[in-house]
Structure formats: structure tokens, C-alpha cells
Amino acid sequence: MDRDEGNAITNADVRMQQQQQRSSIPSTLFIIFMLFMFTNHSGDEFLARNHYQDALQSMNYQLSNFTAWMSGEASNFTMPDRTPAITPLAQSFMHPGTRLDPLHASYYPNTTGFIRGDLDFYNITPSSLDPTNFPWKPYAESYMSDTNMSELLSNLGSWNWSAVDKISWSVIDRAPRSADGVSERIAMIHGRIDLTDTARTDDMRLEFEGVHFLPNGSVYGFAEPNGRPIDIRHLPVIVPNSVQNETARAIQPELLSRINKVKVNIDAGIIDQEIPEGSDNQTGCGFLVYAQIEPSGVSEDVMRDLEDELQKPTGKWTIDPPPLRMTGVLISRECGLLYRLRDAEGLRSQSFFRKVTSYAGVSAIFYLLLLALLCRQTDRMHSPAGLSRVSLWSFLAQAIVDAVAFAGHITFAILANGRPSMSLVAPAFLACILFALEAQHAILINQVQAPEDAVSPLAQPPQSPPLNGTAETADAPQPQLPLLTIVPPRPTAPSFVRLVIRHLLTDSQARIWLGMFIFFTFIIRVIVSPSLTLFFVASMYSMFWLPQIIRSVKRGRSSSLSAEYLIGTSICRLYFALYFLRCPKNVLDVEPRRWAYYLCAFVLLQVVIVLLQQRLGPAFFLPKRFATTQTYNYHPPLPLSGSDPESPDQSLGDCSICMEPIHADDPRHFQQVASGLLQKVGGRKNYSMAPCHHLFHTDCLEKWLAIKNICPQCRRPLPPL
């Protein structure tokens, strides 16, 4: 092949490589386009906008018909018939409120917040009421007299209604609106009701709409499962007869306000893409809600000042907010169910926001302490000798906990959507910094320990390959090949999957990050389930120092963790565990768990064991037959290099680090046997023999291993000295 043909082939290869490089640009554009299509939600927004348009049209239709009905004109709206037995049935479980003396007592004018309490279940179907003798039995029988039992059974669905024993009620109480013909102070109220089965930690969510009469603290409303609309025009049916007309007049401005709000959102492009769907439990049980706020021993003027300060804080002195207590009853005619609400206590949203802000401040202080402790500890053990004595998994477990804490605080800040949102950013930011530093430190530990774990300390050094074969091959005559024009094959780039697999097999950091990514995707699913969340917290907290104890026992060396870091980090971590698992009024409303104390005791026991391992030995708590660890012996018996055993200068060889001769130790500590080997009787040996058969001074090797854990001569990994 002549030079011109070679140049032509070379130019062709260059053109093909350029074509391959240019062809990757359309592929990149295609990938970007696909990612845009996957992440673009214009279709969902279009559906949500159509849903809003349909809802706006329906609300306009409802308002026009209700206005015509109120004016006595022809209308498609008809008010349902009032059931006479419902009022005495509800009053059998709660006492309706009365007007109070404004100088001595008052009701809460605004119930916006969270109400939680216990529920008592009653089955009011005719078959279940027959063997009972409740005083309210006649009212329940009259209320359920014309119920279709076949429809009742189908409405119940798969939910276990008899197991419900807790209620969580989130309430938004609007300011009273002025309307013609309305003399009472009536506020529209809405929210969500969660009926909880504590045995299964499962909830049934209901949407709530109602009215709140401020003068006597009474609340009336409807509760329906998700997906079933609530017609607030039917509220006059369940309120007392004396305020029925005023309630109907108060509904008109509320409907008009909701219509205007939907119009503004559509014009501004503020579209919620999450269209409400039906309930997961597929139930048809709707409830009538009757609730009564208990009066407080605070005058009406003082209560008004307290409310103004809660809504618009100015720093003015006010009394401590009195407890918000409530009683009530939930009745479902469609399903024959009745729940009595007792021992319900509310937490105002403003008070809750203050509690969240206080929690965020205290949490930020503890995260700052954790950050300071971590920085001081990493400064102490930055050398390979210190990193080889700590467990990788202890820092990975803490990094995972901090990553979950970061995600939880950020999610909490988004859901709060108010004044405490910015305060929650502080602990979230500090948790993110902690996660990054701990993950980086774990990767550094893995880099130091990977050569040590890859080669067993007791393994013999590999033999050098023979050289005769290579020499023979080099000296052998090469066969003569005919001169042919050979076109080299076009180089093919490896696929993306092969590159990823090769990178994972060769890079330990990539494996760690991939494992953490997979673990975090699992954690996202875990956080949704409360029971799995508690199991995750318990397992992670129990793994903080347990891997360190195991590594110290296996390696026969105590950890390099300071007592300051161990005790301080454990106390700061246990603060969060005790707050959420033992505080009855924590910000997430997690029920107290008795096993939290056992978790704390187990973590502190681990700290004590790690500290005792540094004083009494790594395996002090194990039986003698399990306490022995196989470690490489850097001081095997060696023959003297000198030919004259009577020579005063007994040398074992030259040190591979300082290049100085290694003299034998004090003769009193050694005795020479017939084989010419030295055996130790007592004292510290002056020499150290690496597995690769390189000889060092013990002091020289200790200083070298404080920098790197590889042989300074052949670069092979060395076990701990």
C-alpha cells in the first residue's frame, strides 16, 4: 500500500469520525425534546383549565337559580325537606350554645386551625338499635325509618367504620360577610375531616362545608367524601328554624365570592393542575356535622384583642390563648352511622405557626452543633491512619438521615405556605450541608479503605511474571506477511449502557452515589407511609455506631472517633427522635411511642461500647475464643544480614524509606536460635516487614502510614500497622 492510499484511508477515517461527532448533535436535540415532552404539563393544564371553566359555569347556574328562589321567582332550585328528628337526635349528644355575658365569658370568634379529638361510634340502623335502650333511640329510629338497607350496605364500601376512634379536623373560618337582612354574625367555614383508624393507621378523608354562628359558638355543616360535591345552598335545612332565613341570605355573597375567585384565577393563569378525584375507599357515606364551641372565661373585649393580635401581631401584650375545646356529633343517614365527638381540643393556626417557628429555631441550633462537631472530627482524623479506623456505614447512615431531614423540612415549608416557611429553610439548609459533608467524608473513607479491603492482610505478595518467555518471544524470528491493502475497521464507540456499567465497576464513588440515589427513591415512598417512616427512623438511629463497633472488633483496632463527637452527635440526634416520638404536641402531631426510650438507651449503649473499646480493647465484651482477630504480623522473625554473629553491628538490612540500616534491638530482648532467626522475648521491635517483603523502620513506616496506606516502594496496599 503506497502513501497516497494510506492518506486516503486516513482522510476517510477522519471524515467518518466527524460525521459521527455531528450525528450526536441531532441525538442530543432529540433527547432534549423528549425530556421537554415528558416534563411539560401543558396537557394537564389544559384539562385543569377546562375543569375550572365547567366549575365556573356550574357555580353561575347555582347562584342564578338560588337568587331566583330567594326572590320567589321561578327556579330550578328546591330546598330539601327538613327532618324533624335530626335536631333532638343531635342535641342528645351535645348542648347547643347560648348567648353569654360579654363581661365574663365569650366564644372563640375564629376557629381557623386544627381540631383533634376522640370519637365514639354508634350504629343507628334499625336492626342494631332493637336490642339497645339508649335514651335517644326513638329519635334515631324516626330518623332512619325510611332507609333502604340495600342501598345502605352499598354506600358503606370497604372502609371499616366501626374501628374509627380519632378525628382530625382542619378548619378555615372566614370573616363574617355583611348581607341585607342578616343581623346575626354568621361566618362561612370549610375544611377537611380525617377519620382515623388507629389500629390500621388509616384515614378516611371528608370535605367539609358549613356555617359558624359567632354569638353562640355553634357550627353546622356537611361532610362528604372526596369527589362528591357539597351544595352549600342546602345549609338552611340543618340550622335552627330561627336563623334559617338569615343563613340563606348569607349564602348568596359566599357563592358570589367563590365565583369571582375562580374568575380571577382563570384570568391570571393560576390553575391548579391537580383535579380532585374520587375517594380511594369508594364510599357513599355523607355526614351532617353539628359542633359546639365551649365558652371561655375571657371577656369579649379581651378575646377581641387576642384575636386581633393573633391575626396582625404588633407586640401588644395579651393574655395567653385559652384552650379551644369543642363537642359535636357526625350523623350519616345514608350509612346508619353516628359519631360522638368528645375531648376535642383545637390549635389555632397562628399559634401553630408560632410553634413551627420555635421548632425551626431550636432545630437550626442543633444542626449547627452537629455541623461543628463533624468539622472538628474530620480535622482530627484527616490522615489515612485515622480514616482507616472508622466505619463507612456510620457516616452513610447519618447522611441518609440528614437527607431525609432536608426533604422533610423543605416539604413542611412548602405545605405551611405562610410565615413559618422561611424559618423552616434554616434547618433544611443546614441538614443539606450536613448531608453533603457526611457523604463526601464517607467517600473519602471508602477511598482509603478500598485498597485495604480489596487485599487480605494475610495474603502473600503476588509473584513476578517470568521474563524468559518474553525474551524468547522477542528473539524469535517473525514470519513474513504478504503486503496486502488492509483497511482498518471503523472504530465503534461503546454504548451508553456499557459505559455506565464500566464506570460503576471501576469507580467506587459512583457505586456509593448510585446506592444512595436508589435508597433515597425508596425513602420517598417510605415517607408517605407513617408506619414505614417510624420503622425507617428506628433502623437508621440504631445503625449510627453499631457498624463502628463491628469494624473495630473485626480489625482489632479501636476507632478514632473522639468522645466529644460521639456524645455530642448522639445527644443532638436523639433530640429529634424524642421530640417527634415522645412530645405529645409536636408540630407533626405524631402520636407518642413508648419504644422511643428503648431506642435512646440502645444508641447511648453503643456510645459507651465505642468509648470502652478505646480503653479496654476492641473485643473486651466478647468471649476469649471470639476476641482473637487475625491481623498481619509486621514483625516476623528475620535472619541477620551480617555474616559474623559476634559483630557488634547487627543489621537486618536497609530501610526502604530512610535508606538507613536497621539495627537489631537490645540483645536482652532477643535470643538467637540455631536456625539463625530472631525471636522476640519482650519490648518493641525496631523493624517492620510489609506483605510485599519490603523492610522498614517501625517509626518510619508509622509516619508513612499516617499519610498513605500503600507501600512507598511498590505502591501496593498495606494493612494497618
Side-chain angles (χ1 to χ4, degrees):
M1 183 175 60
D2 57 9
R3 183 176 301 177
D4 295 337
E5 291 180 353
N7 293 335
I9 295 174
T10 304
N11 294 332
D13 292 340
V14 171
R15 286 194 298 271
M16 283 189 292
Q17 292 178 0
Q18 292 177 352
Q19 291 178 0
Q20 289 178 356
Q21 293 176 356
R22 287 195 296 267
S23 64
S24 63
I25 297 178
S27 301
T28 305
L29 294 177
F30 176 75
I31 293 173
I32 295 175
F33 174 75
M34 293 300 296
L35 291 175
F36 172 77
M37 294 299 296
F38 282 127
T39 56
N40 186 24
H41 301 286
S42 58
D44 296 338
E45 184 177 354
F46 177 76
L47 294 176
R49 183 177 293 273
N50 287 340
H51 175 76
Y52 270 57
Q53 294 286 356
D54 295 341
L56 180 61
Q57 183 178 1
S58 176
M59 293 169 67
N60 284 321
Y61 181 76
Q62 291 178 3
L63 178 60
S64 61
N65 282 283
F66 188 70
T67 303
W69 177 81
M70 290 286 295
S71 304
E73 302 175 0
S75 172
N76 292 330
F77 173 76
T78 57
M79 188 68 70
D81 296 332
R82 187 182 186 89
T83 306
I86 186 62
T87 301
L89 178 59
Q91 293 180 357
S92 300
F93 294 90
M94 51 169 283
H95 299 288
T98 58
R99 296 181 182 270
L100 304 173
D101 183 1
L103 299 178
H104 299 88
S106 63
Y107 296 102
Y108 261 103
N110 193 331
T111 59
T112 301
F114 309 94
I115 301 171
R116 294 173 176 84
D118 299 328
L119 293 176
D120 295 329
F121 169 75
Y122 297 95
N123 190 339
I124 59 174
T125 56
S127 59
S128 299
L129 288 174
D130 287 338
T132 62
N133 55 356
F134 297 122
W136 44 266
K137 177 180 177 180
Y139 306 124
E141 289 177 341
S142 176
Y143 183 65
M144 300 292 297
S145 59
D146 56 348
T147 302
N148 189 332
M149 293 303 298
S150 60
E151 294 182 0
L152 186 146
L153 294 176
S154 62
N155 290 332
L156 287 173
S158 59
W159 177 257
N160 186 11
W161 296 96
S162 61
V164 174
D165 54 359
K166 296 285 185 180
I167 184 174
S168 298
W169 190 358
S170 60
V171 180
I172 299 178
D173 207 336
R174 298 182 183 274
R177 299 181 182 275
S178 59
D180 296 335
V182 179
S183 59
E184 294 283 353
R185 296 174 60 197
I186 303 176
M188 303 302 296
I189 184 174
H190 67 279
R192 291 180 176 178
I193 296 177
D194 290 327
L195 304 178
T196 305
D197 179 4
T198 55
R200 297 174 50 189
T201 63
D202 201 2
D203 296 335
M204 166 63 70
R205 172 156 293 184
L206 306 172
E207 300 293 333
F208 171 76
E209 296 284 352
V211 291
H212 174 201
F213 293 93
L214 276 64
N216 62 354
S218 299
V219 177
Y220 304 88
F222 300 105
E224 296 286 347
N226 289 339
R228 292 183 58 179
I230 300 177
D231 195 345
I232 63 174
R233 299 177 299 174
H234 296 164
L235 286 173
V237 177
I238 62 175
V239 301
N241 293 327
S242 58
V243 292
Q244 188 172 6
N245 294 331
E246 294 188 354
T247 303
R249 295 187 185 96
I251 292 175
Q252 283 184 294
E254 176 65 20
L255 289 174
L256 183 60
S257 174
R258 296 185 181 187
I259 291 173
N260 293 332
K261 182 178 179 180
V262 174
K263 287 181 179 179
V264 170
N265 289 340
I266 293 177
D267 295 338
I270 304 175
I271 302 297
D272 185 5
Q273 298 180 13
E274 293 184 2
I275 301 176
E277 300 178 354
S279 173
D280 295 336
N281 295 281
Q282 299 299 325
T283 181
C285 298
F287 290 86
L288 302 179
V289 181
Y290 296 84
Q292 178 61 48
I293 302 173
E294 295 185 2
S296 64
V298 177
S299 66
E300 188 172 339
D301 293 338
V302 176
M303 179 65 75
R304 188 181 302 111
D305 292 341
L306 175 62
E307 182 64 26
D308 294 340
E309 184 65 22
L310 287 175
Q311 296 296 332
K312 299 178 180 179
T314 60
K316 178 182 177 181
W317 178 88
T318 59
I319 63 170
D320 294 333
L324 173 60
R325 294 188 175 90
M326 183 180 292
T327 59
V329 62
L330 287 75
I331 307 173
S332 175
R333 188 178 184 181
E334 299 170 335
C335 299
L337 306 174
L338 187 146
Y339 292 103
R340 178 189 177 186
L341 174 61
R342 58 180 177 84
D343 299 332
E345 187 171 351
L347 177 65
R348 294 292 307 278
S349 59
Q350 303 300 328
S351 301
F352 173 73
F353 291 158
R354 291 182 180 180
K355 179 187 291 189
V356 172
T357 303
S358 301
Y359 160 77
V362 176
S363 299
I365 293 175
F366 276 95
Y367 277 118
L368 280 174
L369 292 175
L370 286 171
L371 188 59
L373 291 169
L374 178 63
C375 293
R376 289 172 60 88
Q377 179 61 38
T378 53
D379 290 341
R380 291 192 186 98
M381 61 176 190
H382 64 278
S383 64
L387 294 174
S388 64
R389 296 168 59 185
V390 295
S391 174
L392 165 72
W393 300 104
S394 293
F395 288 91
L396 278 182
Q398 295 186 68
I400 292 171
V401 170
D402 290 329
V404 174
F406 164 72
H409 284 92
I410 286 295
T411 304
F412 195 9
I414 295 173
L415 295 178
N417 193 20
R419 286 182 298 175
S421 298
M422 293 304 298
S423 62
L424 288 168
V425 173
F429 174 75
L430 293 175
C432 182
I433 296 298
L434 265 175
F435 159 71
L437 293 179
E438 288 163 347
Q440 182 182 6
H441 194 62
I443 293 174
L444 183 60
I445 294 173
N446 181 73
Q447 290 177 347
V448 172
Q449 296 179 359
E452 174 186 337
D453 297 334
V455 180
S456 175
L458 301 179
Q460 296 295 330
Q463 300 293 331
S464 301
L467 301 176
N468 53 0
T470 306
E472 292 175 0
T473 305
D475 297 336
Q478 301 294 330
Q480 298 293 329
L481 298 177
L483 295 176
L484 298 176
T485 302
I486 302 176
V487 179
R490 185 176 62 182
T492 58
S495 63
F496 177 75
V497 177
R498 290 184 177 180
L499 286 176
V500 171
I501 295 175
R502 184 187 303 173
H503 187 63
L504 291 176
L505 292 176
T506 56
D507 192 352
S508 59
Q509 297 186 28
R511 293 195 297 270
I512 292 178
W513 284 111
L514 179 63
M516 294 182 69
F517 172 76
I518 297 174
F519 196 74
F520 289 154
T521 55
F522 170 73
I523 290 173
I524 293 175
R525 304 298 301 175
V526 165
I527 294 177
V528 180
S529 176
S531 58
L532 289 179
T533 302
L534 294 178
F535 174 76
F536 167 77
V537 170
S539 59
M540 286 293 101
Y541 271 69
S542 61
M543 287 181 58
F544 281 161
W545 313 122
L546 189 61
Q548 179 61 58
I549 297 174
I550 297 175
R551 179 174 179 83
S552 297
V553 172
K554 292 178 62 177
R555 296 294 177 178
R557 306 179 68 202
S558 60
S559 70
S560 59
L561 301 176
S562 64
E564 174 192 84
Y565 177 74
L566 287 168
I567 299 175
T569 301
S570 300
I571 292 176
C572 292
R573 298 288 185 189
L574 291 178
Y575 158 76
F576 295 98
L578 290 176
Y579 176 76
F580 288 108
L581 297 178
R582 289 306 305 168
C583 182
K585 295 183 179 180
N586 57 80
V587 293
L588 296 182
D589 195 34
V590 179
E591 292 292 333
R593 299 296 195 275
R594 293 182 178 180
W595 51 264
Y597 292 127
Y598 300 104
L599 176 64
C600 296
F602 182 65
V603 173
L604 295 178
L605 176 63
Q606 296 177 44
V607 174
V608 173
I609 293 177
V610 174
L611 293 176
L612 290 179
Q613 282 181 320
Q614 300 175 1
R615 296 293 184 90
L616 305 179
F620 73 94
F621 56 92
L622 293 177
K624 292 184 178 180
R625 58 177 179 175
F626 300 111
T628 57
T629 57
Q630 292 184 352
T631 58
Y632 177 76
N633 182 18
Y634 273 93
H635 312 292
L638 296 177
L640 295 174
S641 60
S643 58
D644 186 6
E646 301 296 334
S647 174
D649 189 9
Q650 298 288 328
S651 174
L652 301 176
D654 294 336
C655 176
S656 299
I657 297 177
C658 66
M659 309 305 294
E660 294 291 336
I662 303 176
H663 298 287
D665 291 322
D666 191 343
R668 293 176 300 176
H669 298 160
F670 290 87
Q671 60 180 359
Q672 186 173 2
V673 295
S675 60
L677 301 178
L678 291 177
Q679 294 181 343
K680 185 175 181 182
V681 174
R684 172 184 172 88
K685 286 200 172 182
N686 192 33
Y687 68 90
S688 294
M689 174 67 72
C692 51
H693 294 174
H694 292 121
L695 192 62
F696 311 93
H697 285 111
T698 302
D699 294 337
C700 294
L701 186 59
E702 285 180 347
K703 295 176 181 179
W704 174 264
L705 290 178
I707 302 174
K708 293 183 179 181
N709 62 341
I710 59 176
C711 177
Q713 191 163 353
C714 66
R715 304 300 178 182
R716 289 174 180 168
L718 296 179
L721 177 60

